[in-house]
Amino acid sequence: MGGSLRIAHVITRMIVGGAQENTLYNCLDLIRNYGDEVRLYCGPTDGPEGRLLEQGRGEGLPVVQIDSLRRNLNPIHDWQAYRELLHHLREFQPEVVHTHSAKGGLLGRAAASAIKVPAIVHTVHGAPFHEYQPRMARWFFRACERWAAKRCHQLISVADAMTELLVANQVASKEKCVTIYSGMDVEPFLRANEQRDETRKRLGIKSDEVVVGKIARLFHLKGHEYVIEAARTVLQKCPQVRFLFVGDGILRRQWEETIDRYGLTSRFVFTGLVSPEDIPALIGGMDMLVHTSLREGLARALPQALLAGKPVISYDIDGAREVVIEGQTGFLLTPKSTDELSAAIIRLAQDADLRCLFGLQGRTRFEQQFRHEYMTERIRQIYLMLLQRS
């Protein structure tokens, strides 16, 4: 089957985040590299995380905003969003509907199935059910995902761990899932160290300080509290360490107050909200990256740091172990542990050669498979396969 395709992408909101960047690259690649007709349907982008499409990166991508498509559960809004999606999809008549995020995935798949779209695909960036939810909430979201999975033809996981989670929770069979790592523009990360000195000067960080970076929204379950707690031990043995928190969110004041109470304010730098284009330079200013979230499909910050030649330390959650290879690209730790975290940071802070070795091995392993062009090529092959079947 040749020629261009009509493809609709559906996502709840286009904040500055990994799932949203994945979606944007996929849409733009389809338009620019394959000549496909693509439309993106999304809800309003609210919150302190930033608006991805207002940074000029979505030029050439037709976007339809559905005001009722909101992240929080609301039966009235959700019904309105479903009806609007039905209307828009009937009007556009896509051959492919590709959904993202929990709410966008549920309503998008329901609407696409109702009008019998030939190829319906959903990307699992992170499961909406997890062990940190109340039991009834977890049961409800798991039931929603099982229902929605029956209304699509293919599930794409951003990590093998996501497939294992779906299968274990009887959301879908293993045969219905395929892993395609979330793509990105790798070239700026390969050149990240070129901006090391300039970035450090701008942030007020000295050339001989060892910078431990964390890239994440200042939000629940992102694990900043574990880094702050570990810092107390790290700085006793390695006073040359500085901690760099990249991102913003509702918990910023809480973490700043905690750091101040510990007397560590001078050892932490908060960047606030930054553009995705600034991330390579910020990673270039780091010496290692820590990832202490308690749930995440596969945090983009991990391969980004490795592409920049930086070692990574991560809690062993979801897809982290697929890029954090213990003793080769970094260290995998028990979730919520602060003793293990401080020990790993101290070890890397005291051994520049080990930092270089881990970073080099990470770059060598992952340079190809995280290119967004490669991701889109594989996704489009799935579209074509499903259309041929239909």
Side-chain angles (χ1 to χ4, degrees), residues 166-186:
L166 297 177
V167 173
N169 284 275
Q170 300 178 320
V171 170
S173 66
K174 189 173 183 179
E175 291 70 30
K176 197 169 187 174
C177 305
V178 62
T179 296
I180 300 177
Y181 289 117
S182 190
M184 61 192 73
D185 183 4
V186 304

Side-chain angles (χ1 to χ4, degrees), residues 88-107:
H88 286 297
L89 293 179
R90 282 193 177 115
E91 181 184 56
F92 184 42
Q93 294 187 334
E95 297 160 276
V96 180
V97 169
H98 188 159
T99 66
H100 311 259
S101 71
K103 180 70 72 68
L106 182 72
L107 298 179

Side-chain angles (χ1 to χ4, degrees), residues 122-238:
H122 177 67
T123 291
V124 183
H125 301 276
F129 53 87
H130 54 86
E131 62 184 294
Y132 302 103
Q133 292 168 316
R135 182 176 296 179
M136 284 303 296
R138 187 178 188 188
W139 175 88
F140 173 76
F141 287 116
R142 187 164 49 196
C144 288
E145 286 302 305
R146 288 174 180 169
W147 183 87
K150 295 176 182 177
R151 284 154 179 81
C152 71
H153 304 104
Q154 184 78 61
L155 291 167
I156 296 175
S157 299
V158 297
D160 291 338
M162 290 293 93
T163 294
E164 294 167 7
L165 182 66
L166 297 177
V167 173
N169 284 275
Q170 300 178 320
V171 170
S173 66
K174 189 173 183 179
E175 291 70 30
K176 197 169 187 174
C177 305
V178 62
T179 296
I180 300 177
Y181 289 117
S182 190
M184 61 192 73
D185 183 4
V186 304
E187 298 302 331
F189 295 99
L190 298 176
R191 302 191 304 268
N193 285 325
E194 295 174 6
Q195 303 176 69
R196 178 181 178 85
D197 293 340
E198 180 184 339
T199 298
R200 285 182 166 231
K201 183 178 180 180
R202 175 166 52 87
L203 295 173
I205 297 171
K206 298 175 182 176
S207 60
D208 60 347
E209 290 180 314
V210 176
V211 177
V212 178
K214 177 170 173 57
I215 303 173
R217 290 184 296 143
L218 303 176
F219 202 71
H220 304 288
L221 300 180
K222 293 298 184 181
H224 292 84
E225 63 267 41
Y226 307 115
V227 181
I228 295 168
E229 197 63 37
R232 303 172 76 183
T233 302
V234 170
L235 291 167
Q236 290 175 3
K237 294 190 176 181
C238 303

